[in-house]
Amino acid sequence: MTRAIIIDDEKHCSESLALLIEKYVPEMTIEAELNDPIEAVDVIVSKKPDLVFLDIEMPKLNGFDLLKSLPVIDFEIIFTTAYDDFAIQAFKVSAIDYLLKPIERDELTKAVEKFKKHRADRDFEDRFMVFLSKYGRAEKGNLGKVALPTQEGFEFIDQDIIVRCESDSNYTTVVLEGQKDIVVSRTLKDVESMLDSTSFVRVHHSHLINLRHIRKYHKGSGGVIVMDNGDNVSVSRSKKSEFLDRI
């Protein structure tokens, strides 16, 4: 059985969707119907659902901010929305499913069938990263958050606190300011493509740094950068000119 949670601030919408699921998707059980998105964060963590039907526009916390509040995302999501054309375009590009309100039976069953396929493919991480790249918009003066894929799911991290990233074969270690390092299940090249290009620069085939966290630069063949946390990062000769142009 598939274990699902419905999150919608409008009670009649969550109840209507639950009735449709009960009638037309018998292989799915509803673990919780929630109308308070803040409460939903704790319920998701404790219930560990397979699938979440998530409304986008909600007071206190919209659907995207709710996801950013979670330590990891290790479940599939079907968004529900009444409008938000920009989000719909991002969903189409990323192949993350959505349902337009009022939700109809045929659309629901199609979305559930897609969920089953995606769940089998286990490629939600890739689709969600594409969605974020299309939809995410950083606030002025703030680099915004990035969703870093880990073995457990996703961790949403403020780009401002990323000091540097270091390649480890097909994985990348992300060094954070004042927090424990994160090992990301992506190459350094992949991580670089997720981050703000105006603040992050590749200084070595194994090193990507946040320009906001540089403390010193020691000249040399390529040179050595001292980061705010005291880490020393070597600059390759081939990257030296680009780095000096950026600082």
Side-chain angles (χ1 to χ4, degrees):
M1 295 288 282
T2 299
R3 300 165 60 251
I5 288 176
I6 299 172
I7 303 170
D8 195 312
D9 65 295
E10 297 181 275
K11 189 174 179 62
H12 71 277
C13 289
S14 61
E15 290 178 342
S16 175
L17 177 55
L19 287 172
L20 283 174
I21 292 171
E22 182 180 352
K23 188 172 183 179
Y24 299 110
V25 193
E27 70 275 17
M28 185 175 292
T29 60
I30 304 301
E31 294 291 310
E33 292 177 46
L34 300 159
N35 305 118
D36 183 340
I38 295 177
E39 176 191 357
V41 173
D42 290 334
V43 175
I44 289 174
V45 172
S46 63
K47 294 284 188 180
K48 300 186 183 302
D50 303 307
L51 173 65
V52 171
F53 291 91
L54 180 60
D55 187 22
I56 295 176
E57 292 299 327
M58 295 183 287
K60 302 181 187 176
L61 202 66
N62 68 36
F64 303 127
D65 288 335
L66 184 152
L67 292 177
K68 293 175 184 178
S69 300
L70 294 168
V72 295
I73 300 175
D74 51 5
F75 50 86
E76 286 276 347
I77 300 168
I78 296 177
F79 287 100
T80 60
T81 180
Y83 42 93
D84 203 333
D85 292 337
F86 188 68
I88 289 172
Q89 290 303 313
F91 293 144
K92 289 179 178 178
V93 170
S94 61
I96 286 181
D97 225 335
Y98 66 95
L99 291 168
L100 285 176
K101 298 178 182 179
I103 298 170
E104 299 180 357
R105 180 189 71 178
D106 290 345
E107 295 304 314
L108 171 63
T109 54
K110 286 178 185 177
V112 171
E113 287 304 311
K114 288 182 182 179
F115 153 73
K116 292 176 182 177
K117 176 184 179 298
H118 289 152
R119 187 183 182 191
D121 292 343
R122 295 182 178 276
D123 66 347
F124 178 72
E125 287 186 7
D126 296 325
R127 290 179 285 113
F128 195 60
M129 292 307 303
V130 173
F131 170 78
L132 288 174
S133 70
K134 298 297 180 183
Y135 191 84
R137 289 166 288 183
E139 298 176 1
K140 186 176 181 181
N142 187 302
L143 298 182
K145 289 195 174 187
V146 61
L148 298 177
T150 66
Q151 290 185 337
E152 293 78 25
F154 289 91
E155 293 207 29
F156 288 86
I157 301 296
D158 286 313
Q159 293 187 55
D160 298 278
I161 70 168
I162 297 175
V163 177
R164 65 183 184 88
C165 305
E166 183 172 346
S167 173
D168 182 11
S169 186
N170 290 326
Y171 293 84
T172 300
T173 299
V174 179
V175 178
L176 304 176
E177 179 184 32
Q179 296 185 28
K180 185 178 179 181
D181 298 351
I182 297 173
V183 177
V184 177
S185 52
R186 290 289 186 276
T187 65
L188 184 60
K189 182 179 179 180
D190 292 334
V191 173
E192 183 179 9
S193 70
M194 301 175 195
L195 300 174
D196 182 80
S197 60
T198 63
S199 294
F200 289 86
V201 60
R202 190 81 166 261
V203 297
H204 189 279
H205 73 274
S206 297
H207 297 290
L208 176 72
I209 66 163
N210 187 341
L211 293 170
R212 300 186 181 197
H213 285 279
I214 294 176
R215 182 191 300 171
K216 296 179 183 178
Y217 170 65
H218 296 295
K219 295 179 180 179
S221 177
V224 175
I225 300 165
V226 181
M227 307 303 292
D228 283 339
N229 65 351
D231 288 352
N232 291 333
V233 179
S234 297
V235 180
S236 67
R237 284 186 293 179
S238 62
K239 298 289 186 180
K240 181 178 180 179
S241 178
E242 178 187 355
F243 166 67
L244 293 177
D245 286 342
R246 296 283 299 276
I247 60 175

